[in-house]
């Protein structure tokens, strides 16, 4: 059993938990993730390791409530325990001193972006970070990212904080004014697709983090397969990071919609059960 040390609501439907997992805390690197289950009947939920404390032995996880399992996870309180958590999984981000780097995060994808921001800054890079959300209320980890960024640019759809507009317009402005050695983008599929197209216009390599349906997390089930550079890859062991220009975005976006009807039905059943139990 893995004890939840702290639980915090960061924004509507977005939560943070600190989980006691000392062995994972010692090994996890930027870009890697864990898979957890709430109880023995629970669905396996992959979540990026946002941060760790090797001395205290905890891992920091952030998730968004989008279905039954994440809704259940949001009910877990500090002092309670998760059934199991396995990791770190996936390949770590290739951290080097590239020079000037640009990192773009959207929505809850900012949680996966932050450890890369931190690691790149600690490696000596000049870090420019762009964060985007629908509104100020949903923009998370601003202070965390600001701490490790030489420049922080905020974008919201409604202009309630930072600039009004999309993250790709901010990318364009950065690319036009200076040379960027490497770019990362993490967020909704469609956002990462257009971030890739923007970076390609300026001949800048861009890495994206793919989050397809994942079950075992060790490459056995094949559920997280994606087409990259015309070859089948498994996001759990070959990724989750890939060069954006090599991703078959149309296939990836379609696969992400594959089980939406089943997910909606499961969530509706869960909500009825919760309401029935008061």
């Amino acid at each position: 059993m893995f004890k939840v040390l702290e639980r915090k609501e960061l924004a509507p439907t977005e939560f943070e938990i600190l989980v006691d997992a000392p062995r994972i805390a010692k090994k996890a690197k930027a870009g890697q993730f864990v898979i957890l289950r709430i109880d023995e009947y629970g669905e396996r939920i992959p979540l990026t390791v946002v941060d760790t404390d090797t001395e205290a032995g905890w891992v920091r996880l952030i998730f968004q409530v989008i279905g039954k399992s994440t809704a259940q996870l949001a009910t877990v309180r500090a002092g309670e325990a998760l059934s199991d958590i396995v990791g770190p999984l996936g390949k770590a981000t290739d951290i080097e001193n590239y020079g000037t780097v640009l990192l773009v995060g959207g929505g809850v994808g900012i949680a996966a972006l932050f450890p890369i921001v931190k690691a790149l800054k600690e490696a000596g890079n000049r870090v420019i970070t762009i964060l985007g959300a629908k509104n100020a209320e949903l923009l998370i980890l601003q202070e965390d990212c600001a701490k490790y960024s030489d420049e922080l640019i905020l974008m919201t759809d409604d202009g309630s904080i930072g600039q009004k507009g999309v993250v790709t317009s901010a990318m364009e402005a950065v690319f036009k004014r200076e040379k960027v050695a490497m770019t990362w983008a993490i967020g909704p599929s469609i956002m990462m697709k257009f971030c890739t197209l923007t970076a390609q216009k300026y001949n800048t390599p861009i890495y994206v983090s793919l989050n397809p349906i994942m079950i075992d997390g060790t490459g056995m089930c094949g559920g997280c397969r994606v087409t990259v550079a015309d070859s089948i890859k498994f996001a759990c062991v070959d990724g989750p990071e890939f060069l954006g220009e090599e991703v078959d975005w149309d296939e990836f976006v379609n696969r992400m919609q594959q089980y939406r009807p089943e997910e909606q039905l499961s969530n509706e059943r869960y909500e009825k059960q919760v309401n029935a139990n008061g």
Side-chain angles (χ1 to χ4, degrees):
M1 302 293 282
F2 294 83
K3 187 177 181 180
V4 175
L5 304 174
E6 293 183 21
R7 172 195 178 276
K8 182 189 302 181
E9 183 174 351
L10 299 178
T13 74
E14 295 182 17
F15 297 84
E16 170 186 293
I17 54 176
L18 300 186
V19 183
D20 184 40
R23 289 189 291 177
I24 296 175
K26 288 180 180 179
K27 296 288 187 178
K29 297 180 179 179
Q32 293 186 299
F33 64 96
V34 297
I35 291 182
L36 63 82
R37 290 194 308 162
I38 301 169
D39 55 41
E40 61 180 315
Y41 305 105
E43 181 182 18
R44 295 166 64 84
I45 307 172
L47 295 173
T48 297
V49 178
V50 178
D51 208 349
T52 62
D53 187 316
T54 55
E55 292 186 6
W58 52 252
V59 296
R60 181 186 186 191
L61 307 173
I62 293 175
F63 63 94
Q64 182 178 25
V65 175
I66 55 174
K68 174 191 173 184
S69 294
T70 46
Q72 286 181 300
L73 184 57
T75 67
V76 177
R77 305 297 177 182
E80 297 178 346
L82 305 174
S83 175
D84 49 61
I85 177 171
V86 61
L89 302 171
K91 290 185 176 180
T93 302
D94 188 10
I95 301 296
E96 298 179 17
N97 189 339
Y98 298 98
T100 297
V101 294
L102 176 63
L103 295 102
V104 188
V108 75
I110 295 170
L113 188 79
F114 169 68
I116 304 173
V117 170
K118 180 180 178 181
L120 286 168
K121 183 58 185 173
E122 291 178 341
N125 291 278
R126 177 171 178 267
V127 177
I128 304 171
T129 304
I130 301 170
L131 304 181
K134 290 183 178 179
N135 54 54
E137 192 176 30
L138 296 175
L139 196 64
I140 63 172
L141 303 185
Q142 300 171 49
E143 293 182 3
D144 298 77
C145 290
K147 181 178 178 180
Y148 296 98
S149 300
D150 294 277
E151 181 180 358
L152 181 66
I153 302 170
L154 306 179
M155 305 293 296
T156 48
D157 293 351
D158 63 359
S160 53
I161 190 172
Q163 303 175 41
K164 182 176 182 179
V166 293
V167 293
T168 49
S169 63
M171 289 178 68
E172 289 262 9
V174 172
F175 286 140
K176 286 178 179 178
R177 78 181 191 213
E178 63 185 288
K179 179 65 177 177
V180 174
M182 194 74 70
T183 302
W184 280 260
I186 306 179
S189 306
I190 198 68
M191 185 207 92
M192 292 190 291
K193 174 182 177 179
F194 281 97
C195 285
T196 296
L197 294 173
T198 303
Q200 283 184 281
K201 284 173 57 178
Y202 295 90
N203 298 313
T204 304
I206 181 169
Y207 281 96
V208 296
S209 184
L210 303 186
N211 60 334
I213 292 170
M214 203 173 287
I215 302 174
D216 66 271
T218 61
M220 293 190 293
C221 74
C224 66
R225 65 187 181 276
V226 293
T227 301
V228 179
D230 298 321
S231 298
I232 298 298
K233 301 290 184 182
F234 296 148
C236 65
V237 290
D238 298 315
E241 287 186 18
F242 299 97
L243 280 170
E245 64 188 52
E246 296 181 347
V247 175
D248 184 331
W249 287 107
D250 291 338
E251 178 190 73
F252 180 70
V253 171
N254 287 335
R255 279 183 57 79
M256 291 293 285
Q257 308 292 328
Q258 189 172 359
Y259 294 105
R260 284 294 170 85
E262 290 82 1
E263 291 171 349
Q264 183 175 352
L265 180 60
S266 177
N267 196 41
E268 289 173 354
R269 287 174 176 170
Y270 174 70
E271 289 179 350
K272 287 180 180 179
Q273 180 182 351
V274 170
N275 292 333
N277 293 334

